[in-house]
Amino acid sequence: FIAGVAMLADKHLVVAAVGQMGVDRPPLLLLGFIRVTTGAAIVLVHNVWSRGFWPLVITLTGWAILVRGVMVLFVPPDVMASIIAASHVVDFYYLYAAIPLVLGAYLGLRGFSATATPGERG
């Protein structure tokens, strides 16, 4: 949610940063390491493919982050630059900002309003 708000707050900075990602390899590697770590943590702790819609959303989000992180680490920089260019960040910017905004709001709402079932209490 916070990432979506930050994207809406400073469009020019985010567009410039995304444009530099395919050109500047060290920040891209750092992003890949962060994504792999985050995605692997979610997948290892919460790899739930049943029990309702919102646990499935968390699992799919973890796998998506992990796959994108691995892709960033192993795809050559020129291919990554062409993928970034093909994504038309400037044209679809508000759609790209809406994804973490809506997903973060949904997961935050579900997470902060969840109650433990009798079997899950410690």
Side-chain angles (χ1 to χ4, degrees):
F1 179 76
I2 294 170
V5 171
M7 287 177 74
L8 292 175
D10 200 351
K11 177 182 177 180
H12 299 292
L13 177 64
V14 174
V15 169
V18 169
Q20 288 294 328
M21 276 191 185
V23 178
D24 200 6
R25 188 74 177 147
L28 198 57
L29 285 173
L30 180 63
L31 177 65
F33 290 137
I34 291 170
R35 283 182 177 170
V36 166
T37 303
T38 304
I42 294 170
V43 167
L44 290 172
V45 172
H46 194 280
N47 197 20
V48 178
W49 293 95
S50 59
R51 289 195 244 151
F53 178 72
W54 93 277
L56 181 64
V57 170
I58 295 171
T59 299
L60 291 174
T61 301
W63 276 104
I65 293 169
L66 178 60
V67 168
R68 288 179 65 194
V70 170
M71 187 177 90
V72 165
L73 291 177
F74 291 104
V75 171
D78 56 332
V79 175
M80 188 58 69
S82 66
I83 291 171
I84 292 169
S87 67
H88 299 284
V89 174
V90 175
D91 298 333
F92 300 111
Y93 184 80
Y94 292 105
L95 174 66
Y96 291 134
I99 293 169
L101 193 66
V102 170
L103 185 63
Y106 174 73
L107 291 176
L109 177 68
R110 292 295 304 205
F112 287 116
S113 65
T115 56
T117 59
E120 293 177 346
R121 293 185 184 162

